[in-house]
Amino acid sequence: MTPTIFGPSHRRLFGVVHEPSQDRANGRAYLLCMPFGHEALRVHRFYRLLAERLARQGAFVLRFDCYGAGDSAGDDDEAELAGWSSDICEANQELLRHSNAAWVGWFGARLGGSAALLAVRETTRRPHAAILWDAVFDGARYLKELQLAHLNELEHSYSAPDRQWRRSIDRDPSAFSGECLGFSISETMRTQILDLGDLLKTPPDTVALSLYSTQADDIAARWAAAVHSSHPSIRLHFEHFEHPLIWTSRPFANNEMVPARALQKMTEALHEHQ
């Protein structure tokens, strides 16, 4: 496990490379794209264990933070999807520099998956496969989820929460939308998230896609069906996958930090396209 700093001088990015032992290297490499804000904290250990497992199986792995997130340069209010898409392309080049791999796969959860799908169209060397876990396709719904998670946490933190907080959402749908669980959401990022439906309408047809989402995410199912209908040449596998990880929660006892079934499922998904 080797830390690395990469990217242009004005946009430095932090990542960690997991290298396989020389006797097990299999010519494959994986790029792990983190989610946004609290959700990135929530799955940090999941990503680390996933990277370690893939490396033990013989692959190079790079997990990294986009600009304005984690240990990369920039403040959280500077984070925005267009920049994240460019960061993923930059990280892909860094992964190839370390690994010189013949086969590359990308993995992204939540908004990290959405950003990875956007980046596939920009990178000069596309991955062979992209695996998306509970990726965001409906920006308005996603922002609403973050808004309510933030409000729930505020109410949990106060012994006597202010009832005006709930009323303010009814009056103004954008209330509490500039921050979620301690992370700023810039107006640029908010606008880009709201536009995700249009941005993701036409995925690239040269990359095998696997999409995993819960039964409750009917938007992801409809997106997959629309892609199958209008772009039959695109290799897209869609599957409902239920798991006990709650993306915006505290690590309560009934909410696994690293669900074993999810770790196994995503490891298998990353291998299926080889």
Side-chain angles (χ1 to χ4, degrees):
M1 191 168 67
T2 306
T4 180
I5 302 292
F6 60 97
S9 59
H10 67 281
R11 198 176 178 90
R12 302 298 279 166
L13 305 173
F14 173 82
V16 177
V17 178
H18 297 257
E19 299 182 5
S21 58
Q22 291 186 348
D23 61 328
R24 301 204 66 180
N26 55 24
R28 296 191 291 268
Y30 298 99
L31 181 65
L32 308 187
C33 307
M34 295 291 286
F36 168 76
H38 180 83
E39 294 180 343
L41 297 180
R42 188 71 184 79
V43 294
H44 181 272
R45 182 167 175 77
F46 183 98
Y47 269 58
R48 175 175 176 172
L49 293 179
L50 178 61
E52 290 175 349
R53 179 173 290 193
L54 293 169
R56 285 198 303 270
Q57 295 171 350
F60 275 84
V61 184
L62 172 62
R63 54 187 175 93
F64 80 105
D65 297 320
C66 286
Y67 189 77
D71 291 309
S72 290
D75 296 326
D76 52 357
D77 59 1
E78 297 178 273
E80 44 91 19
L81 282 178
W84 277 21
S85 179
S86 298
D87 293 342
I88 292 171
C89 296
E90 192 71 42
N92 191 55
Q93 293 300 318
E94 180 73 1
L95 176 63
L96 292 170
R97 185 179 70 81
H98 281 276
S99 66
N100 196 29
W103 190 96
V104 175
W106 291 3
F107 171 81
R110 303 295 283 157
L111 200 59
S114 308
L117 195 53
L118 294 174
V120 165
R121 294 180 291 194
E122 294 185 19
T123 184
T124 55
R125 181 171 172 181
R126 288 182 172 179
H128 295 81
I131 290 79
L132 314 178
W133 182 24
D134 284 350
V136 178
F137 293 96
D138 185 335
R141 177 187 286 187
Y142 176 68
L143 288 173
K144 187 68 174 181
E145 290 172 358
L146 296 186
Q147 180 190 55
L148 291 176
H150 184 73
L151 183 54
N152 288 339
E153 186 63 24
L154 283 176
E155 291 181 337
H156 180 81
S157 301
Y158 288 83
S159 57
D162 189 341
R163 294 179 181 178
Q164 289 295 330
W165 294 339
R166 294 281 172 178
R167 296 192 189 106
S168 66
I169 292 179
D170 294 334
R171 292 194 303 268
D172 179 10
S174 66
F176 296 98
S177 64
E179 180 185 357
C180 178
L181 301 172
F183 293 88
S184 296
I185 305 175
S186 70
E187 187 58 34
T188 299
M189 173 70 101
R190 185 175 181 276
T191 299
Q192 291 169 338
I193 291 174
L194 288 171
D195 290 340
L196 267 177
D198 291 331
L199 293 173
L200 297 176
K201 272 186 177 177
T202 308
D205 58 5
T206 58
V207 176
L209 299 175
S210 287
L211 174 61
Y212 297 87
S213 72
T214 64
Q215 288 277 358
D217 189 1
D218 56 312
I219 299 296
R222 292 207 297 269
W223 182 86
V227 169
H228 277 305
S229 175
S230 57
H231 306 282
S233 63
I234 293 178
R235 295 167 292 164
L236 171 62
H237 170 75
F238 173 77
E239 183 178 333
H240 283 302
F241 175 63
E242 304 301 324
H243 57 85
L245 194 153
I246 303 173
W247 295 103
T248 56
S249 78
R250 295 181 177 190
F252 291 122
N254 64 344
N255 183 13
E256 296 178 51
M257 287 296 291
V258 183
R261 182 167 174 264
L263 184 61
Q264 182 63 32
K265 183 68 174 180
M266 295 307 132
T267 303
E268 292 171 354
L270 285 161
H271 282 299
E272 285 175 358
H273 291 289
Q274 298 166 13

